[in-house]
Amino acid sequence: MSAFPLRLGQQRNLFLVVSGLSTAGSFAGITAKGWILLQGSADPFVLALNFAALSLPSLVFSGPAGVRTDRLGCERVLVQAQWGLLAAAALGALAIPLLEGKQQVLLLLGSTLMVGIAGAFELTARNKYCSLLVEEPQQLAGYLASFSVVFNVGKLVGPPIGGLLVAMAGPAWALGIDAASYLLPISSVLFLLRPRRDLEQRSGGSSSATLLNAWRECGTTLRGVLTMTALLCIVNFYHPGLAPLIASQILGPDPRDLGLFTSVLAAGSIAGGLVLQRNSSQFSRRPFLTLGGFGLITAIAQLGMAGTNGIEINLAMTFLIGAGTAGFLSSCNLITQIGSPQVMRGRIAGLSQIAFLGGGGLSGLLAALLVMATSLSTTFAITGGIGLALAVLWIGRRGGRVLEPSS
């Protein structure tokens, strides 16, 4: 226990910073792993499979993660998940010096799968944990939005670090930094953070504290938000698993080109997060207009990627894809947390992850199949066109609906 306890505002800032540093290490590892898989297989489906291994476990484990968080407490589940992330990342780092060829690829995919499973628990618990670090309920919207900005700053600086480490020292260094970065949030939660544990509402062992009951009891507006998120993610989600392939086609095959591409994407994500942060209260009150607006940005940018071969324009569209995707996913997380009671926020966070991570994982696999059957530009044209139609439809039908924050 710290001899000099931090004020709650300082704890919030500390949690943001260590999470951002951990995110930077994670994206350095993701960049290195994507480059290894691209060089080892040159198969877009393997790249999509790697992202699917990261995101699709949310379909299976986010529900149990939400139930466990509401029953046992978010802090306990958060620490357990962070240790799991450390172990999974370390396994990926060991794959580089110990194995080669197909065995190395399989172990890297296995490491990604373990990260995806542990990440489902970590993200669910972290959402509810954030509500224990604010003095007033009205502060939660801004804090969650700030969390998204810091997360995307980590995404900005991580890829170039990963690209440089791969080019200068080899991918094992990038994956090793990824593993070591998880020690920062673990140490802060165990020794420095003292959240308002007395405010947490747990469901205990109640038989009614299930994911299905949370879906039934969250209300028609939140159910609509979750449904809209899932649909738009499936057809219009940016495909991070294909980032090495996209970067190779629009910039070049060097790992530093991949770092530049993902950095531009992350810069767009920061911009989208800042817009959401500065308008968090207003945006959370108009959920379908907000989600539809960010969905439109992503769809139009994908259509722009399909219609041009210029590097500068493609990078500009990449920036917009980052802004639209980050704003869309962060809005879903923000709206569902603000609009749900404290006792079920773990389960609602689990449902949100199923919607955007599960939908995103399926989208990546579908996009990879489309790329293999047609081309990258045709894939962007199809997904962008369908996403544009869906976003306009939802805005037209539900754009005026207002969400009142839960007490």
Side-chain angles (χ1 to χ4, degrees):
M1 183 174 181
S2 174
F4 303 97
L6 300 174
R7 296 191 303 272
L8 210 55
Q10 294 173 320
Q11 293 183 49
R12 288 197 299 274
N13 292 334
L14 175 63
F15 195 45
L16 284 170
V17 170
V18 298
S19 297
L21 292 173
S22 177
T23 299
S26 297
F27 276 91
I30 289 171
T31 302
K33 191 178 289 186
W35 185 83
I36 296 166
L37 293 174
L38 181 64
Q39 297 301 309
S41 65
D43 187 345
F45 192 76
V46 172
L47 298 177
L49 188 62
N50 184 57
F51 179 69
L54 184 66
S55 58
L56 285 181
S58 64
L59 289 173
V60 177
F61 294 98
S62 291
V67 173
R68 183 176 177 83
T69 295
D70 283 338
R71 287 182 176 178
L72 301 183
C74 56
E75 187 173 18
R76 179 178 175 183
V77 176
L78 179 63
V79 172
Q80 292 173 345
Q82 288 170 343
W83 281 115
L85 287 167
L86 173 61
L91 182 64
L94 291 173
I96 306 303
L98 297 181
L99 297 172
E100 294 180 355
K102 291 183 179 180
Q103 291 80 9
Q104 184 184 82
V105 169
L106 288 174
L107 188 56
L108 287 172
L109 291 175
S111 167
T112 302
L113 180 63
M114 292 174 60
V115 169
I117 294 171
F121 286 85
E122 197 268 346
L123 287 172
T124 300
R126 187 175 64 190
N127 271 315
K128 191 169 185 177
Y129 188 78
C130 286
S131 68
L132 307 183
L133 291 173
V134 298
E135 287 90 350
E136 301 293 337
Q138 295 83 357
Q139 295 176 318
L140 181 58
Y143 184 50
L144 287 173
S146 298
F147 207 93
S148 173
V149 173
V150 173
F151 175 83
N152 286 309
V153 170
K155 286 172 62 178
L156 175 65
V157 301
I161 292 174
L164 286 172
L165 285 172
V166 170
M168 297 174 62
W173 278 94
L175 297 180
I177 288 176
D178 175 17
S181 68
Y182 289 112
L183 292 172
L184 295 173
I186 291 172
S187 300
S188 65
V189 173
L190 286 177
F191 303 115
L192 297 175
L193 300 183
R194 295 294 177 266
R196 303 175 69 186
R197 299 182 181 94
D198 58 302
L199 297 183
E200 182 175 16
Q201 298 178 29
R202 302 183 188 180
S203 62
S206 173
S207 59
S208 63
T210 64
L211 199 68
L212 181 59
N213 278 341
W215 168 263
R216 291 170 175 169
E217 296 170 9
C218 69
T220 57
T221 299
L222 289 189
R223 286 198 295 271
V225 166
L226 292 168
T227 302
M228 179 182 185
T229 299
L231 287 174
L232 277 176
C233 280
I234 289 173
V235 301
N236 195 39
F237 186 76
Y238 165 68
H239 317 298
L242 299 180
L245 178 67
I246 300 171
S248 179
Q249 291 197 15
I250 69 172
L251 293 177
D254 191 277
R256 285 167 290 191
D257 293 325
L258 176 58
L260 172 61
F261 173 79
T262 50
S263 294
V264 172
L265 189 73
S269 299
I270 293 171
L274 285 172
V275 170
L276 181 62
Q277 179 191 32
R278 294 181 179 181
N279 302 276
S280 57
S281 297
Q282 302 95 309
F283 281 17
S284 63
R285 285 178 56 83
R286 302 292 294 274
F288 298 104
L289 185 61
T290 297
L291 292 170
F294 282 119
L296 277 176
I297 293 173
T298 307
I300 291 171
Q302 289 194 1
L303 290 173
M305 291 281 279
T308 181
N309 292 320
I311 292 177
E312 293 80 5
I313 296 177
N314 278 330
L315 286 177
M317 293 301 102
T318 299
F319 181 90
L320 290 178
I321 287 175
T325 303
F328 181 79
L329 300 185
S330 299
S331 294
C332 173
N333 184 61
L334 171 63
I335 291 164
T336 52
Q337 287 294 297
I338 294 298
S340 60
Q342 226 268 358
V343 71
M344 67 168 62
R345 279 180 179 160
R347 284 167 287 162
I348 294 299
L351 287 170
S352 299
Q353 287 175 218
I354 291 172
F356 58 73
L357 289 179
L362 290 173
S363 178
L365 292 175
L366 292 174
L369 292 174
L370 280 173
V371 169
M372 296 169 67
T374 58
S375 66
L376 184 62
S377 61
T378 301
T379 298
F380 273 128
I382 293 172
T383 58
I386 297 175
L388 178 67
L390 285 176
V392 170
L393 181 64
W394 278 85
I395 290 175
R397 289 187 174 182
R398 299 194 181 186
R401 184 169 295 189
V402 175
L403 175 71
E404 295 296 335
S406 177
S407 58

